[in-house]
Amino acid sequence: MQSTDKLPAATSYPAGSTKEKVGVLERLSYANLDFAGQLVATVVNSYLMYFFTDVALISAASTGVILMVARVVDAIGAPVWGTLIDMTHSKFGKARPFFLWLAIPYAASGILLFWAPDMGASAKVIYCAVVYMIYGILYLGINAPITTILPLITSHPEQRVVLNSWRMVGSNLGVFVVNSLTLPLVAFFGGGNDVRGFRIFIVIFAILNLVGTLYSFGHVRERVVVPSSQRVTLKGSIHAMKGNWPWFLIVIGNFLFWVAQQGRQQSMVYYFTYYFDNKGLVTLFNSIAIVQVLGVISIPFLNKVMSKSHVWAMGLAIAVLGQFVIMFSGLSVAGATAGWLIANVGSGIAVSMPFAMLGSAVDYGEWKNGINAAGLLTTIGSAFCMSMGMGLAGAMNGGIMSSFGYIANHAQTAHAITGIGISFNWVTILMYALAIIPAIIYQKFENQEADITAELAKTRE
């Protein structure tokens, strides 16, 4: 198999090419993009709410508001980034140059987010809110191209599924590394001072993120050249959404998934710390979440016997089942472990599918409306859904915990623990279950993919 570091520039490939196989080095480099990204993003997704409430000592209610307001900013930033990608025509391609341009600013914003400077309560809230909004904007800018570049690497749906599985394995390994090491290393570096511990930890991991992102930038290529001699404008990109029902279904399903996923991840720290009264379980359960990889690597095999729509719905259903097992296990660590493993296999499948399917939704928009708006459509369908899901989950968790009387760093009342249980279990179950509906409906449009791919290949020639 040809090593991808010898591949020529993107423009030397025929338009709409489906024949070039993506080499192992490039697959690893694509996987490494998400591995490196998770070295900062997972710290934010898993521990930012806890950091704000229990380390920076911001109230749960204020934290929830910060998380939600930042997502409103993202709602504006997502289409802007997507349109910028669509309008980009550089020697590096359309999506690829953003890894180079944003690597340093993104790593720096992650460091500042966990710095917790010594200042008054109100000033600290403002600082955290502003820095988090900046982080969110940069996160969208560097994360969106990871999904956007997939349909530009290859136009073959099956190769996209395989490449996306490599990406998700990289992502899960990054999540595993962060969740296994965060609290132990924070305790080690801090020596009882969590502010110092988080500062040292995030500096190290932000540097690793920067190095990994720049390495992958040098080893991935854009092959698919759509007939976009035209400069895609925001108006044109929005037109690609017109009647693009498969894209709308993916956006709805992926958004609901991320509300569930991020809500579960944010609230699990509180669930095991206060409900089980065992903070050590947080690291254990975050570590064994690597079982998600089993779900991810099963996807190419499942896709041989099942449609992508049904694989997606099945993953969500398994995640719901696992969360029910956790809830009904009560204080049984063995029962919670079994449920957690089941839920993570399901979420491993469910998290992967929308990213693999977005390329087909981009193709549908080009086929129907004559515009390939890969930047805007994949940005909203991936990074925007992740970011907004996290914001809504944070606002819901913060609101529920605050209304049930949560007080940071104190023994919680039975009422407060009930609120934590609602956030961790019921909100998660409801959102996963709702996401099954658009996943099943998508089947209608999946049946058209082969014909659309063939027609576009002719058009692009």
Side-chain angles (χ1 to χ4, degrees), residues 15 22 75 77 132 138 167 191 206 243 270 351:
V22 181
Y132 187 47
L138 292 172
R167 170 195 175 178
Y270 304 96
V351 71

Side-chain angles (χ1 to χ4, degrees), residues 91-360:
K91 64 180 180 179
F92 301 123
K94 295 175 68 66
R96 184 173 165 237
F98 288 85
F99 304 131
L100 174 65
W101 298 336
L102 298 180
I104 292 176
Y106 175 70
S109 70
I111 292 172
L112 294 175
L113 191 56
F114 285 90
W115 203 253
D118 186 15
M119 53 181 61
S122 297
K124 190 180 294 184
V125 170
I126 295 172
Y127 171 88
C128 290
V130 171
V131 173
Y132 187 47
M133 283 187 281
I134 294 172
Y135 166 85
I137 292 170
L138 292 172
Y139 170 80
L140 284 171
I142 201 168
N143 186 269
I146 300 178
T147 305
T148 303
I149 201 173
L150 179 56
L152 300 175
I153 293 175
T154 176
S155 61
H156 198 293
E158 290 184 2
Q159 286 195 50
R160 289 173 181 170
V161 170
V162 172
L163 262 176
N164 190 68
S165 293
W166 280 68
R167 170 195 175 178
M168 288 302 161
V169 170
S171 176
N172 276 276
L173 289 175
V175 171
F176 171 75
V177 169
V178 171
N179 283 332
S180 299
L181 297 178
T182 299
L183 294 183
L185 286 182
V186 166
F188 174 76
F189 291 135
N193 184 337
D194 281 353
V195 172
R196 183 175 62 197
F198 267 103
R199 286 178 178 176
I200 297 173
F201 175 83
I202 195 63
V203 167
I204 294 171
F205 273 63
I207 291 173
L208 293 173
N209 160 263
L210 173 62
V211 173
T213 301
L214 293 178
Y215 174 84
S216 288
F217 160 76
H219 293 85
V220 294
R221 296 291 184 270
E222 296 181 10
R223 289 174 185 74
V224 177
V225 182
V226 296
S228 287
S229 50
Q230 83 246 19
R231 296 280 172 171
V232 181
T233 64
L234 176 59
K235 181 179 179 181
S237 295
I238 292 175
H239 183 68
M241 300 179 187
K242 183 179 179 182
N244 196 337
W245 297 114
W247 178 78
F248 282 110
L249 290 170
I250 292 173
V251 168
I252 294 169
N254 206 25
F255 172 70
L256 291 170
F257 169 83
W258 283 107
V259 174
Q261 186 81 346
Q262 300 288 24
R264 183 182 74 174
Q265 196 62 44
Q266 291 170 358
S267 57
M268 74 167 293
V269 180
Y270 304 96
Y271 191 73
F272 290 113
T273 299
Y274 296 109
Y275 180 68
F276 276 89
D277 195 25
N278 188 344
K279 191 175 181 178
L281 289 176
V282 176
T283 299
L284 171 64
F285 275 69
N286 272 327
S287 298
I288 63 176
I290 189 63
V291 75
Q292 280 193 337
V293 170
L294 296 179
V296 172
I297 62 179
S298 72
I299 290 172
F301 303 99
L302 291 172
N303 193 211
K304 292 181 182 298
V305 296
M306 301 171 63
S307 67
K308 294 192 291 291
S309 174
H310 290 162
V311 172
W312 187 15
M314 182 185 71
L316 291 164
I318 294 172
V320 169
L321 173 63
Q323 202 67 31
F324 268 120
V325 172
I326 295 172
M327 184 171 63
F328 289 124
S329 295
L331 289 172
S332 169
V333 175
T337 301
W340 185 250
L341 292 173
I342 294 170
N344 276 276
V345 170
S347 62
I349 296 172
V351 71
S352 304
M353 296 312 299
F355 296 104
M357 297 159 72
L358 274 168
S360 295

